[in-house]
Coordinates of all heavy atoms in Angstrom, one line a residue:
R847 N -12.4 -3.6 -20.6 CA -12.1 -4.9 -19.9 C -12.1 -4.6 -18.4 O -11.6 -3.6 -17.9 CB -10.8 -5.4 -20.3 CG -11.0 -6.5 -21.4 CD -9.7 -7.2 -21.7 NE -8.5 -6.7 -21.0 CZ -7.3 -6.9 -21.3 NH1 -7.0 -7.6 -22.4 NH2 -6.3 -6.5 -20.6
L848 N -12.5 -5.6 -17.6 CA -12.6 -5.5 -16.2 C -11.2 -5.4 -15.6 O -10.9 -4.6 -14.6 CB -13.3 -6.7 -15.6 CG -13.8 -6.6 -14.2 CD1 -14.7 -5.3 -14.0 CD2 -14.7 -7.8 -13.9
A849 N -10.2 -6.1 -16.1 CA -8.8 -6.0 -15.6 C -8.3 -4.6 -15.8 O -7.6 -4.1 -14.9 CB -8.0 -7.0 -16.4
D850 N -8.6 -4.0 -16.9 CA -8.1 -2.6 -17.1 C -8.8 -1.6 -16.0 O -8.1 -0.7 -15.5 CB -8.5 -2.1 -18.5 CG -7.7 -2.8 -19.5 OD1 -6.6 -3.3 -19.2 OD2 -8.2 -2.9 -20.7
T851 N -10.0 -1.9 -15.7 CA -10.7 -1.0 -14.8 C -10.1 -1.1 -13.4 O -9.8 -0.1 -12.7 CB -12.2 -1.4 -14.7 OG1 -12.8 -1.3 -15.9 CG2 -13.0 -0.6 -13.6
Y852 N -9.8 -2.4 -13.0 CA -9.1 -2.6 -11.6 C -7.7 -2.0 -11.7 O -7.3 -1.5 -10.7 CB -9.1 -4.1 -11.3 CG -10.4 -4.6 -10.7 CD1 -11.2 -5.5 -11.4 CD2 -10.9 -4.1 -9.5 CE1 -12.3 -6.0 -10.8 CE2 -12.1 -4.5 -9.0 CZ -12.8 -5.5 -9.7 OH -14.0 -6.0 -9.2
H853 N -7.0 -2.2 -12.8 CA -5.7 -1.6 -12.9 C -5.7 -0.1 -12.7 O -4.9 0.5 -12.0 CB -5.1 -1.9 -14.3 CG -3.7 -1.4 -14.5 ND1 -2.6 -2.1 -14.3 CD2 -3.3 -0.2 -15.0 CE1 -1.5 -1.4 -14.5 NE2 -1.9 -0.2 -15.0
N854 N -6.7 0.6 -13.4 CA -6.8 2.0 -13.2 C -7.2 2.4 -11.8 O -6.7 3.5 -11.3 CB -7.9 2.6 -14.3 CG -7.3 2.4 -15.7 OD1 -6.1 2.4 -15.9 ND2 -8.2 2.3 -16.6
I855 N -8.1 1.7 -11.2 CA -8.4 1.9 -9.8 C -7.2 1.8 -8.9 O -6.9 2.7 -8.0 CB -9.5 1.0 -9.3 CG1 -10.9 1.3 -10.0 CG2 -9.7 1.0 -7.7 CD1 -11.9 0.3 -9.8
G856 N -6.4 0.8 -9.2 CA -5.1 0.6 -8.5 C -4.2 1.9 -8.6 O -3.6 2.3 -7.6
N857 N -4.1 2.3 -9.9 CA -3.3 3.5 -10.1 C -3.8 4.7 -9.4 O -3.0 5.5 -8.8 CB -3.2 3.8 -11.6 CG -2.4 2.8 -12.4 OD1 -1.7 2.0 -11.8 ND2 -2.6 2.8 -13.7
A858 N -5.1 4.9 -9.3 CA -5.7 6.1 -8.6 C -5.4 6.0 -7.1 O -5.0 6.9 -6.5 CB -7.2 6.1 -8.9
C859 N -5.6 4.8 -6.6 CA -5.4 4.6 -5.2 C -3.8 4.8 -4.8 O -3.5 5.4 -3.8 CB -5.8 3.2 -4.7 SG -7.5 2.9 -4.8
Y860 N -3.0 4.3 -5.7 CA -1.6 4.5 -5.5 C -1.2 5.9 -5.5 O -0.5 6.4 -4.6 CB -0.8 3.7 -6.6 CG 0.7 3.7 -6.3 CD1 1.3 2.6 -5.7 CD2 1.5 4.7 -6.7 CE1 2.7 2.6 -5.4 CE2 2.9 4.7 -6.5 CZ 3.5 3.7 -5.9 OH 4.8 3.6 -5.6
A861 N -1.7 6.7 -6.4 CA -1.4 8.1 -6.5 C -1.9 8.9 -5.2 O -1.3 9.9 -4.9 CB -2.1 8.7 -7.7
Q862 N -2.9 8.4 -4.5 CA -3.4 9.0 -3.3 C -2.8 8.3 -2.1 O -3.3 8.6 -0.9 CB -4.9 8.9 -3.3 CG -5.6 9.7 -4.4 CD -7.1 9.5 -4.4 OE1 -7.7 8.8 -3.5 NE2 -7.8 10.1 -5.3
Q863 N -1.8 7.5 -2.2 CA -1.1 6.8 -1.2 C -2.0 5.9 -0.4 O -1.8 5.7 0.8 CB -0.4 7.8 -0.3 CG 0.7 8.6 -0.9 CD 1.4 9.6 -0.1 OE1 1.1 9.8 1.1 NE2 2.5 10.2 -0.7
Q864 N -3.0 5.4 -1.0 CA -3.9 4.4 -0.4 C -3.4 3.0 -0.9 O -4.0 2.4 -1.7 CB -5.4 4.7 -0.8 CG -5.9 6.0 -0.4 CD -7.2 6.3 -0.9 OE1 -7.7 5.8 -2.0 NE2 -7.9 7.3 -0.3
Y865 N -2.2 2.6 -0.3 CA -1.5 1.5 -0.8 C -2.3 0.2 -0.6 O -2.3 -0.7 -1.4 CB -0.1 1.4 -0.3 CG 0.6 2.7 -0.6 CD1 1.2 3.5 0.3 CD2 0.9 3.1 -2.0 CE1 1.9 4.6 0.1 CE2 1.6 4.2 -2.3 CZ 2.1 5.0 -1.2 OH 2.8 6.1 -1.6
D866 N -3.0 0.1 0.5 CA -3.8 -1.1 0.8 C -4.8 -1.3 -0.3 O -5.1 -2.5 -0.8 CB -4.3 -1.1 2.2 CG -5.2 0.1 2.5 OD1 -5.1 1.1 1.8 OD2 -6.0 0.0 3.4
Q867 N -5.5 -0.3 -0.6 CA -6.6 -0.4 -1.7 C -6.0 -0.6 -3.0 O -6.5 -1.3 -3.9 CB -7.4 0.9 -1.7 CG -8.2 1.0 -0.4 CD -9.0 2.3 -0.3 OE1 -9.2 3.0 -1.2 NE2 -9.5 2.6 0.9
A868 N -4.8 0.0 -3.3 CA -4.1 -0.2 -4.6 C -3.7 -1.7 -4.7 O -3.9 -2.3 -5.8 CB -2.8 0.7 -4.7
V869 N -3.2 -2.3 -3.6 CA -2.8 -3.7 -3.7 C -4.0 -4.6 -4.0 O -4.0 -5.4 -4.9 CB -2.2 -4.1 -2.3 CG1 -2.1 -5.6 -2.3 CG2 -0.8 -3.5 -2.2
A870 N -5.1 -4.3 -3.3 CA -6.4 -5.1 -3.6 C -6.8 -4.9 -5.0 O -7.2 -5.9 -5.7 CB -7.4 -4.6 -2.6
A871 N -6.8 -3.7 -5.6 CA -7.2 -3.5 -6.9 C -6.3 -4.2 -7.9 O -6.8 -4.8 -8.9 CB -7.3 -2.0 -7.3
Y872 N -5.0 -4.1 -7.7 CA -4.1 -4.7 -8.6 C -4.2 -6.3 -8.6 O -4.2 -7.0 -9.6 CB -2.6 -4.4 -8.3 CG -2.2 -3.0 -8.6 CD1 -1.5 -2.2 -7.8 CD2 -2.6 -2.3 -9.8 CE1 -1.2 -0.9 -8.0 CE2 -2.3 -1.0 -10.1 CZ -1.6 -0.3 -9.2 OH -1.2 1.0 -9.5
Q873 N -4.5 -6.8 -7.4 CA -4.8 -8.2 -7.3 C -6.0 -8.6 -8.1 O -6.0 -9.7 -8.7 CB -4.9 -8.6 -5.8 CG -3.5 -8.6 -5.1 CD -3.7 -8.8 -3.6 OE1 -4.7 -8.5 -3.0 NE2 -2.6 -9.3 -3.0
Q874 N -7.0 -7.8 -8.0 CA -8.3 -8.1 -8.7 C -8.0 -8.1 -10.2 O -8.5 -8.9 -11.0 CB -9.4 -7.1 -8.4 CG -10.1 -7.4 -7.1 CD -10.9 -8.6 -7.1 OE1 -11.3 -9.1 -8.1 NE2 -11.0 -9.2 -5.9
S875 N -7.2 -7.1 -10.6 CA -6.9 -6.9 -12.1 C -6.1 -8.2 -12.5 O -6.4 -8.7 -13.6 CB -6.0 -5.7 -12.3 OG -5.6 -5.6 -13.6
L876 N -5.2 -8.7 -11.7 CA -4.4 -9.9 -12.1 C -5.3 -11.2 -12.1 O -5.0 -12.1 -12.9 CB -3.2 -10.1 -11.2 CG -2.1 -9.1 -11.4 CD1 -1.0 -9.2 -10.3 CD2 -1.5 -9.3 -12.8
R877 N -6.4 -11.2 -11.3 CA -7.3 -12.3 -11.4 C -8.0 -12.4 -12.8 O -8.3 -13.5 -13.3 CB -8.3 -12.2 -10.3 CG -7.8 -12.6 -8.9 CD -8.9 -12.7 -7.9 NE -8.3 -12.9 -6.6 CZ -8.0 -11.9 -5.7 NH1 -8.3 -10.7 -5.9 NH2 -7.4 -12.2 -4.5
H878 N -8.2 -11.2 -13.3 CA -8.9 -11.2 -14.7 C -7.9 -11.2 -15.9 O -8.3 -11.6 -16.9 CB -9.7 -9.9 -14.8 CG -10.8 -9.9 -13.8 ND1 -12.0 -10.7 -14.0 CD2 -11.0 -9.3 -12.6 CE1 -12.8 -10.5 -12.9 NE2 -12.2 -9.6 -12.1
N879 N -6.6 -10.9 -15.6 CA -5.6 -10.9 -16.6 C -4.3 -11.2 -16.0 O -3.4 -10.3 -15.8 CB -5.6 -9.6 -17.4 CG -4.6 -9.6 -18.5 OD1 -4.1 -10.6 -18.9 ND2 -4.3 -8.4 -19.1
P880 N -4.0 -12.5 -15.7 CA -2.8 -12.9 -14.9 C -1.5 -12.6 -15.7 O -0.4 -12.7 -15.1 CB -3.0 -14.4 -14.7 CG -4.2 -14.8 -15.4 CD -4.9 -13.6 -15.9
K881 N -1.6 -12.4 -17.0 CA -0.3 -12.2 -17.8 C 0.1 -10.7 -17.9 O 1.1 -10.4 -18.6 CB -0.5 -12.8 -19.1 CG -0.7 -14.3 -19.1 CD -0.8 -14.9 -20.5 CE -1.0 -16.4 -20.4 NZ -1.2 -17.0 -21.7
D882 N -0.6 -9.8 -17.2 CA -0.3 -8.4 -17.3 C 0.9 -8.0 -16.5 O 0.8 -7.9 -15.2 CB -1.5 -7.6 -16.9 CG -1.3 -6.1 -17.1 OD1 -0.2 -5.6 -17.3 OD2 -2.3 -5.4 -17.1
D883 N 2.1 -7.9 -17.1 CA 3.3 -7.6 -16.4 C 3.3 -6.2 -15.8 O 3.9 -6.0 -14.7 CB 4.5 -7.7 -17.4 CG 4.8 -9.2 -17.8 OD1 4.5 -10.1 -17.0 OD2 5.4 -9.4 -18.9
E884 N 2.7 -5.2 -16.4 CA 2.6 -3.9 -15.8 C 1.9 -3.9 -14.5 O 2.3 -3.3 -13.6 CB 2.0 -2.9 -16.8 CG 2.0 -1.5 -16.3 CD 1.3 -0.5 -17.3 OE1 1.1 -0.9 -18.5 OE2 1.1 0.6 -16.8
T885 N 0.7 -4.6 -14.5 CA 0.0 -4.7 -13.2 C 0.8 -5.4 -12.2 O 0.8 -5.0 -11.0 CB -1.4 -5.4 -13.5 OG1 -2.1 -4.6 -14.4 CG2 -2.2 -5.5 -12.2
R886 N 1.4 -6.5 -12.6 CA 2.3 -7.2 -11.6 C 3.4 -6.3 -11.0 O 3.6 -6.3 -9.8 CB 2.9 -8.4 -12.3 CG 3.6 -9.4 -11.3 CD 4.1 -10.6 -12.0 NE 3.2 -11.2 -13.1 CZ 2.0 -11.8 -12.9 NH1 1.6 -12.1 -11.7 NH2 1.3 -12.2 -13.9
Y887 N 4.0 -5.5 -11.9 CA 5.0 -4.5 -11.5 C 4.4 -3.5 -10.5 O 5.0 -3.3 -9.4 CB 5.7 -3.9 -12.6 CG 6.6 -2.7 -12.3 CD1 7.9 -3.0 -11.9 CD2 6.2 -1.4 -12.4 CE1 8.8 -2.0 -11.6 CE2 7.1 -0.4 -12.0 CZ 8.4 -0.7 -11.6 OH 9.2 0.3 -11.3
N888 N 3.2 -3.0 -10.8 CA 2.6 -2.0 -10.0 C 2.2 -2.6 -8.6 O 2.3 -2.0 -7.6 CB 1.4 -1.4 -10.7 CG 1.7 -0.5 -11.8 OD1 2.9 -0.2 -12.1 ND2 0.7 0.0 -12.5
L889 N 1.8 -3.9 -8.7 CA 1.4 -4.6 -7.4 C 2.6 -4.7 -6.5 O 2.5 -4.4 -5.3 CB 0.9 -5.9 -7.7 CG 0.6 -6.9 -6.5 CD1 -0.4 -6.2 -5.6 CD2 0.2 -8.3 -7.0
V890 N 3.8 -5.0 -7.0 CA 5.0 -5.1 -6.2 C 5.3 -3.7 -5.6 O 5.6 -3.6 -4.4 CB 6.1 -5.7 -7.0 CG1 7.4 -5.6 -6.3 CG2 5.9 -7.1 -7.4
K891 N 5.3 -2.7 -6.4 CA 5.6 -1.4 -6.0 C 4.6 -0.9 -4.8 O 5.0 -0.4 -3.8 CB 5.5 -0.3 -7.1 CG 6.7 -0.3 -7.9 CD 6.6 0.8 -9.0 CE 5.6 1.9 -8.9 NZ 5.5 2.9 -9.9
A892 N 3.3 -1.2 -5.0 CA 2.3 -0.9 -4.0 C 2.5 -1.7 -2.7 O 2.4 -1.1 -1.7 CB 0.9 -1.1 -4.6
M893 N 2.9 -2.9 -2.9 CA 3.2 -3.7 -1.7 C 4.4 -3.2 -0.9 O 4.4 -3.2 0.3 CB 3.4 -5.2 -2.1 CG 2.1 -5.9 -2.6 SD 2.4 -7.5 -3.2 CE 2.3 -8.5 -1.7
Q894 N 5.4 -2.8 -1.6 CA 6.6 -2.2 -1.0 C 6.2 -0.9 -0.3 O 6.6 -0.7 0.9 CB 7.7 -2.0 -2.0 CG 8.3 -3.2 -2.6 CD 9.1 -3.0 -3.8 OE1 9.1 -1.9 -4.4 NE2 10.1 -3.9 -4.0
Q895 N 5.4 -0.1 -0.9 CA 5.0 1.2 -0.3 C 4.1 1.0 0.9 O 4.2 1.7 1.9 CB 4.3 2.1 -1.3 CG 5.2 2.7 -2.4 CD 6.2 3.6 -1.9 OE1 6.0 4.3 -1.0 NE2 7.4 3.5 -2.4
L896 N 3.2 0.0 0.8 CA 2.4 -0.4 1.9 C 3.2 -0.8 3.1 O 3.0 -0.3 4.2 CB 1.4 -1.4 1.5 CG 0.4 -1.9 2.6 CD1 -0.4 -0.8 3.2 CD2 -0.4 -3.1 2.1
K897 N 4.2 -1.6 2.9 CA 5.1 -2.0 4.0 C 5.8 -0.9 4.6 O 5.9 -0.8 5.8 CB 6.1 -3.1 3.4 CG 7.0 -3.7 4.5 CD 7.9 -4.7 3.9 CE 8.8 -5.3 5.0 NZ 9.7 -6.3 4.5
Q898 N 6.3 0.0 3.8 CA 7.0 1.2 4.3 C 6.0 2.1 5.1 O 6.4 2.6 6.2 CB 7.6 2.1 3.2 CG 8.9 1.5 2.6 CD 9.5 2.4 1.6 OE1 8.8 3.3 1.0 NE2 10.7 2.2 1.3
Q899 N 4.8 2.2 4.6 CA 3.8 3.1 5.3 C 3.5 2.4 6.7 O 3.4 3.1 7.6 CB 2.5 3.1 4.4 CG 1.5 4.1 4.9 CD 0.3 4.1 3.9 OE1 -0.3 3.1 3.7 NE2 0.1 5.3 3.4
Q900 N 3.3 1.1 6.7 CA 3.0 0.4 7.9 C 4.1 0.6 8.9 O 3.9 0.8 10.1 CB 2.7 -1.0 7.7 CG 1.3 -1.2 6.9 CD 1.2 -2.7 6.5 OE1 2.1 -3.4 6.3 NE2 -0.1 -3.0 6.3
Q901 N 5.4 0.4 8.5 CA 6.5 0.6 9.4 C 6.6 2.0 9.9 O 6.8 2.3 11.1 CB 7.8 0.2 8.6 CG 7.9 -1.2 8.3 CD 9.1 -1.5 7.4 OE1 9.6 -0.7 6.8 NE2 9.5 -2.8 7.4
H902 N 6.3 3.0 9.1 CA 6.3 4.4 9.5 C 5.2 4.6 10.6 O 5.5 5.3 11.6 CB 6.1 5.3 8.3 CG 5.9 6.7 8.6 ND1 7.0 7.5 8.9 CD2 4.8 7.5 8.7 CE1 6.5 8.7 9.2 NE2 5.2 8.8 9.1
N903 N 4.1 4.1 10.3 CA 3.0 4.2 11.3 C 3.3 3.6 12.6 O 3.0 4.1 13.7 CB 1.7 3.7 10.7 CG 1.1 4.4 9.6 OD1 1.5 5.6 9.3 ND2 0.2 3.8 8.8
K904 N 3.9 2.4 12.6 CA 4.4 1.8 13.9 C 5.4 2.7 14.6 O 5.3 2.8 15.8 CB 5.0 0.4 13.6 CG 4.0 -0.7 13.2 CD 4.7 -2.0 13.0 CE 3.7 -3.0 12.5 NZ 4.3 -4.3 12.2
R905 N 6.3 3.2 13.9 CA 7.3 4.1 14.5 C 6.6 5.3 15.1 O 7.0 5.7 16.2 CB 8.4 4.6 13.5 CG 9.4 3.5 13.2 CD 10.6 4.0 12.4 NE 10.3 4.7 11.2 CZ 10.2 4.0 10.0 NH1 10.4 2.7 9.9 NH2 9.9 4.7 8.9
Q906 N 5.7 5.9 14.4 CA 5.0 7.1 14.9 C 4.2 6.7 16.2 O 4.2 7.5 17.2 CB 4.0 7.6 13.9 CG 4.6 8.2 12.6 CD 5.3 9.4 12.9 OE1 6.5 9.5 13.3 NE2 4.6 10.6 12.8
I907 N 3.6 5.5 16.2 CA 2.9 5.1 17.4 C 3.8 4.9 18.6 O 3.5 5.4 19.7 CB 2.1 3.8 17.1 CG1 0.9 4.1 16.2 CG2 1.6 3.2 18.4 CD1 0.2 2.9 15.6
R908 N 5.0 4.3 18.3 CA 5.9 4.1 19.4 C 6.5 5.4 20.0 O 6.6 5.6 21.2 CB 7.1 3.2 18.9 CG 6.7 1.7 19.0 CD 7.9 0.9 18.6 NE 7.6 0.4 17.3 CZ 8.5 0.1 16.3 NH1 9.7 0.1 16.5 NH2 8.1 -0.3 15.1
R909 N 6.7 6.4 19.1 CA 7.2 7.7 19.5 C 6.1 8.3 20.4 O 6.5 8.9 21.4 CB 7.5 8.6 18.3 CG 8.8 8.1 17.6 CD 9.1 9.1 16.4 NE 10.2 8.6 15.7 CZ 10.2 8.5 14.4 NH1 9.2 8.9 13.7 NH2 11.3 8.1 13.8
K910 N 4.9 8.3 20.0 CA 3.8 8.9 20.7 C 3.7 8.2 22.1 O 3.6 8.9 23.1 CB 2.5 8.8 20.0 CG 1.3 9.4 20.7 CD 0.1 9.3 19.8 CE -1.1 10.0 20.6 NZ -2.3 9.9 19.8
Q911 N 3.8 6.9 22.1 CA 3.7 6.2 23.4 C 4.9 6.5 24.3 O 4.7 6.7 25.5 CB 3.7 4.7 23.2 CG 2.4 4.2 22.6 CD 2.5 2.7 22.2 OE1 3.6 2.2 22.0 NE2 1.3 2.1 22.0
M912 N 6.1 6.7 23.7 CA 7.3 7.1 24.5 C 7.1 8.5 25.1 O 7.4 8.7 26.2 CB 8.5 7.0 23.6 CG 9.8 7.3 24.4 SD 10.1 6.2 25.7 CE 10.7 4.8 24.8
R913 N 6.6 9.4 24.3 CA 6.4 10.8 24.8 C 5.3 10.8 25.9 O 5.5 11.5 26.9 CB 5.9 11.7 23.6 CG 7.0 12.1 22.7 CD 6.6 13.3 21.8 NE 5.5 12.9 20.9 CZ 5.6 12.4 19.7 NH1 6.8 12.2 19.2 NH2 4.5 12.1 19.0
Q914 N 4.3 10.0 25.8 CA 3.3 9.9 26.8 C 3.9 9.3 28.1 O 3.6 9.8 29.2 CB 2.1 9.0 26.4 CG 1.3 9.7 25.4 CD 0.2 8.7 24.8 OE1 0.3 7.5 24.9 NE2 -0.8 9.3 24.1
R915 N 4.8 8.3 28.0 CA 5.4 7.7 29.2 C 6.3 8.7 29.8 O 6.3 8.9 31.1 CB 6.2 6.5 28.8 CG 5.3 5.3 28.6 CD 6.1 4.0 28.5 NE 5.5 3.2 27.5 CZ 6.0 2.7 26.4 NH1 7.3 2.8 26.2 NH2 5.3 2.0 25.6
L916 N 7.0 9.5 29.0 CA 8.0 10.4 29.6 C 7.2 11.6 30.2 O 7.7 12.2 31.2 CB 8.9 11.0 28.5 CG 9.9 10.0 27.9 CD1 10.6 10.6 26.7 CD2 10.9 9.6 29.0
S917 N 6.1 11.9 29.8 CA 5.3 13.0 30.4 C 4.8 12.6 31.7 O 4.4 13.5 32.5 CB 4.2 13.5 29.5 OG 3.2 12.5 29.4
L918 N 4.7 11.3 32.0 CA 4.2 10.9 33.3 C 5.3 10.9 34.4 O 5.0 10.8 35.5 CB 3.6 9.4 33.1 CG 2.4 9.3 32.3 CD1 2.0 7.8 32.1 CD2 1.2 10.1 32.9
I919 N 6.5 11.0 34.0 CA 7.7 10.9 34.9 C 7.8 12.3 35.6 O 7.6 13.3 35.1 CB 9.0 10.5 34.2 CG1 8.8 9.1 33.6 CG2 10.1 10.7 35.1 CD1 10.0 8.7 32.8

């Protein structure tokens, strides 16, 4: 089934910390099988991880910018 294929792609992406792609794959899976609770659970987990990853990246960028500004002083 197509829903299973997308679910498995989501799992593979999640395992590689490619949370944006995992979210997209889980969403596609749910379009084909909206009653799949496991996929819905995985989607929520992937969305949470994606949010954390984005926040971490923003912090890293801010730290880098701060170091650059301090080096100009």
Side-chain angles (χ1 to χ4, degrees):
R847 261 184 3 193
L848 199 52
D850 293 336
T851 300
Y852 281 116
H853 180 95
N854 291 335
I855 291 169
N857 288 345
C859 292
Y860 187 94
Q862 295 176 4
Q863 297 180 354
Q864 297 172 341
Y865 302 119
D866 55 340
Q867 294 176 15
V869 166
Y872 291 137
Q873 287 172 334
Q874 283 293 334
S875 178
L876 287 171
R877 283 187 185 98
H878 295 283
N879 183 10
K881 295 182 180 182
D882 186 342
D883 289 334
E884 183 180 347
T885 299
R886 191 175 320 284
Y887 173 80
N888 289 357
L889 173 60
V890 170
K891 279 185 15 183
M893 291 173 83
Q894 290 169 340
Q895 290 297 323
L896 177 59
K897 184 177 180 180
Q898 284 184 342
Q899 188 179 60
Q900 290 170 337
Q901 289 171 342
H902 174 76
N903 291 344
K904 284 180 185 178
R905 284 192 301 273
Q906 292 292 86
I907 290 168
R908 276 185 257 155
R909 286 183 188 131
K910 183 178 179 180
Q911 290 171 339
M912 183 62 75
R913 282 194 298 269
Q914 289 173 342
R915 282 188 217 129
L916 291 173
S917 69
L918 295 175
I919 297 174

